Short mmCIF file of all heavy atoms in Angstrom, two decimals:
data_model
loop_
_atom_site.label_atom_id
_atom_site.label_comp_id
_atom_site.label_asym_id
_atom_site.label_seq_id
_atom_site.Cartn_x
_atom_site.Cartn_y
_atom_site.Cartn_z
N ARG A 12 4.05 170.69 -50.59
CA ARG A 12 4.45 171.94 -51.12
C ARG A 12 3.26 172.90 -51.33
O ARG A 12 3.39 174.09 -51.07
CB ARG A 12 5.18 171.74 -52.47
CG ARG A 12 6.59 171.18 -52.25
CD ARG A 12 7.34 171.03 -53.55
NE ARG A 12 7.82 172.31 -54.07
CZ ARG A 12 8.98 172.92 -53.77
NH1 ARG A 12 9.78 172.30 -52.90
NH2 ARG A 12 9.34 174.01 -54.30
N TRP A 15 2.42 174.14 -47.83
CA TRP A 15 3.40 175.13 -47.41
C TRP A 15 3.13 176.47 -48.16
O TRP A 15 3.22 177.54 -47.54
CB TRP A 15 4.79 174.66 -47.65
CG TRP A 15 5.83 175.60 -47.14
CD1 TRP A 15 6.82 176.16 -47.88
CD2 TRP A 15 5.98 176.10 -45.83
NE1 TRP A 15 7.62 176.97 -47.08
CE2 TRP A 15 7.10 176.99 -45.80
CE3 TRP A 15 5.30 175.95 -44.63
CZ2 TRP A 15 7.52 177.69 -44.67
CZ3 TRP A 15 5.72 176.66 -43.48
CH2 TRP A 15 6.81 177.48 -43.53
N LEU A 19 2.33 180.11 -46.37
CA LEU A 19 3.05 181.33 -46.66
C LEU A 19 2.06 182.45 -47.09
O LEU A 19 2.24 183.65 -46.73
CB LEU A 19 4.12 181.13 -47.71
CG LEU A 19 5.30 180.18 -47.30
CD1 LEU A 19 6.22 179.93 -48.44
CD2 LEU A 19 5.98 180.74 -46.07
N TYR A 24 2.75 186.66 -47.21
CA TYR A 24 3.89 186.77 -48.09
C TYR A 24 3.44 187.08 -49.54
O TYR A 24 2.40 186.62 -49.96
CB TYR A 24 4.67 185.47 -48.16
CG TYR A 24 5.55 185.17 -46.92
CD1 TYR A 24 5.32 185.85 -45.72
CD2 TYR A 24 6.48 184.16 -46.94
CE1 TYR A 24 6.08 185.53 -44.60
CE2 TYR A 24 7.23 183.91 -45.79
CZ TYR A 24 7.03 184.58 -44.62
OH TYR A 24 7.77 184.31 -43.52
N THR A 25 4.28 187.84 -50.22
CA THR A 25 4.02 188.14 -51.64
C THR A 25 4.44 186.97 -52.51
O THR A 25 5.17 186.06 -52.05
CB THR A 25 4.76 189.40 -52.12
OG1 THR A 25 6.17 189.10 -51.99
CG2 THR A 25 4.43 190.61 -51.25
N THR A 26 4.04 186.97 -53.75
CA THR A 26 4.45 185.94 -54.70
C THR A 26 5.97 185.84 -54.77
O THR A 26 6.54 184.79 -54.74
CB THR A 26 3.85 186.23 -56.09
OG1 THR A 26 2.45 186.24 -55.98
CG2 THR A 26 4.28 185.17 -57.09
N THR A 27 6.62 187.01 -54.82
CA THR A 27 8.09 187.05 -54.94
C THR A 27 8.74 186.45 -53.69
O THR A 27 9.70 185.63 -53.79
CB THR A 27 8.57 188.46 -55.15
OG1 THR A 27 7.97 188.99 -56.34
CG2 THR A 27 10.09 188.54 -55.31
N ARG A 28 8.23 186.79 -52.50
CA ARG A 28 8.82 186.26 -51.27
C ARG A 28 8.57 184.77 -51.14
O ARG A 28 9.42 184.00 -50.72
CB ARG A 28 8.25 187.01 -50.07
CG ARG A 28 8.88 186.56 -48.80
CD ARG A 28 8.71 187.49 -47.69
NE ARG A 28 9.36 186.99 -46.47
CZ ARG A 28 9.11 187.40 -45.26
NH1 ARG A 28 8.23 188.39 -45.08
NH2 ARG A 28 9.74 186.93 -44.26
N ILE A 29 7.36 184.28 -51.56
CA ILE A 29 7.09 182.87 -51.53
C ILE A 29 8.07 182.14 -52.47
O ILE A 29 8.58 181.09 -52.14
CB ILE A 29 5.60 182.57 -51.93
CG1 ILE A 29 4.66 183.11 -50.85
CG2 ILE A 29 5.38 181.08 -52.15
CD1 ILE A 29 3.19 183.12 -51.27
N ALA A 30 8.26 182.68 -53.62
CA ALA A 30 9.18 182.11 -54.62
C ALA A 30 10.56 181.97 -53.98
O ALA A 30 11.24 180.93 -54.13
CB ALA A 30 9.24 182.95 -55.88
N ARG A 31 11.02 182.99 -53.31
CA ARG A 31 12.35 182.98 -52.68
C ARG A 31 12.39 181.89 -51.59
O ARG A 31 13.37 181.14 -51.47
CB ARG A 31 12.66 184.36 -52.13
CG ARG A 31 14.09 184.60 -51.78
CD ARG A 31 14.42 186.04 -51.46
NE ARG A 31 13.47 186.70 -50.60
CZ ARG A 31 12.75 187.78 -50.92
NH1 ARG A 31 12.82 188.28 -52.13
NH2 ARG A 31 11.90 188.34 -50.06
N GLU A 32 11.35 181.83 -50.73
CA GLU A 32 11.30 180.85 -49.65
C GLU A 32 11.28 179.42 -50.18
O GLU A 32 11.84 178.47 -49.56
CB GLU A 32 10.05 181.08 -48.79
CG GLU A 32 10.10 182.35 -47.99
CD GLU A 32 10.92 182.27 -46.73
OE1 GLU A 32 10.99 181.13 -46.16
OE2 GLU A 32 11.48 183.26 -46.33
N MET A 33 10.56 179.19 -51.31
CA MET A 33 10.40 177.82 -51.84
C MET A 33 11.39 177.50 -52.93
O MET A 33 11.30 176.41 -53.49
CB MET A 33 8.96 177.70 -52.37
CG MET A 33 7.90 177.82 -51.28
SD MET A 33 6.24 177.57 -51.90
CE MET A 33 6.21 175.81 -52.12
N ASN A 34 12.29 178.43 -53.24
CA ASN A 34 13.28 178.18 -54.31
C ASN A 34 12.62 177.87 -55.66
O ASN A 34 12.99 176.93 -56.32
CB ASN A 34 14.29 177.09 -53.92
CG ASN A 34 15.09 177.46 -52.72
OD1 ASN A 34 15.59 178.58 -52.67
ND2 ASN A 34 15.22 176.56 -51.78
N LEU A 35 11.59 178.65 -55.99
CA LEU A 35 10.93 178.50 -57.23
C LEU A 35 10.88 179.90 -57.91
O LEU A 35 11.16 180.91 -57.29
CB LEU A 35 9.45 178.08 -57.00
CG LEU A 35 9.20 176.76 -56.32
CD1 LEU A 35 7.71 176.62 -55.90
CD2 LEU A 35 9.64 175.62 -57.20
N SER A 36 10.50 179.91 -59.24
CA SER A 36 10.31 181.17 -59.89
C SER A 36 9.01 181.80 -59.47
O SER A 36 8.11 181.06 -59.05
CB SER A 36 10.40 181.02 -61.38
OG SER A 36 9.14 180.54 -61.87
N ARG A 37 8.87 183.10 -59.52
CA ARG A 37 7.60 183.72 -59.16
C ARG A 37 6.46 183.31 -60.11
O ARG A 37 5.34 183.29 -59.71
CB ARG A 37 7.77 185.24 -59.04
CG ARG A 37 8.15 185.96 -60.26
CD ARG A 37 8.48 187.42 -59.92
NE ARG A 37 8.90 188.11 -61.07
CZ ARG A 37 8.19 188.91 -61.83
NH1 ARG A 37 6.93 189.12 -61.47
NH2 ARG A 37 8.69 189.49 -62.87
N TYR A 38 6.84 182.99 -61.33
CA TYR A 38 5.82 182.56 -62.32
C TYR A 38 5.29 181.18 -61.93
O TYR A 38 4.12 180.91 -62.05
CB TYR A 38 6.44 182.53 -63.75
CG TYR A 38 6.99 183.89 -64.10
CD1 TYR A 38 8.36 184.13 -64.16
CD2 TYR A 38 6.11 184.93 -64.41
CE1 TYR A 38 8.83 185.39 -64.48
CE2 TYR A 38 6.62 186.16 -64.74
CZ TYR A 38 7.96 186.39 -64.82
OH TYR A 38 8.46 187.64 -65.13
N VAL A 40 5.15 180.00 -58.84
CA VAL A 40 4.32 180.24 -57.69
C VAL A 40 2.94 180.80 -58.08
O VAL A 40 1.91 180.31 -57.61
CB VAL A 40 5.04 181.22 -56.67
CG1 VAL A 40 4.06 181.66 -55.54
CG2 VAL A 40 6.27 180.53 -56.09
#
Side-chain angles (χ1 to χ4, degrees):
R12 286 183 75 87
W15 184 237
L19 295 177
Y24 287 14
T25 63
T26 301
T27 302
R28 185 162 178 196
I29 292 170
R31 196 170 45 243
E32 292 281 330
M33 296 182 73
N34 296 315
L35 299 170
S36 79
R37 62 188 175 100
Y38 302 106
V40 170

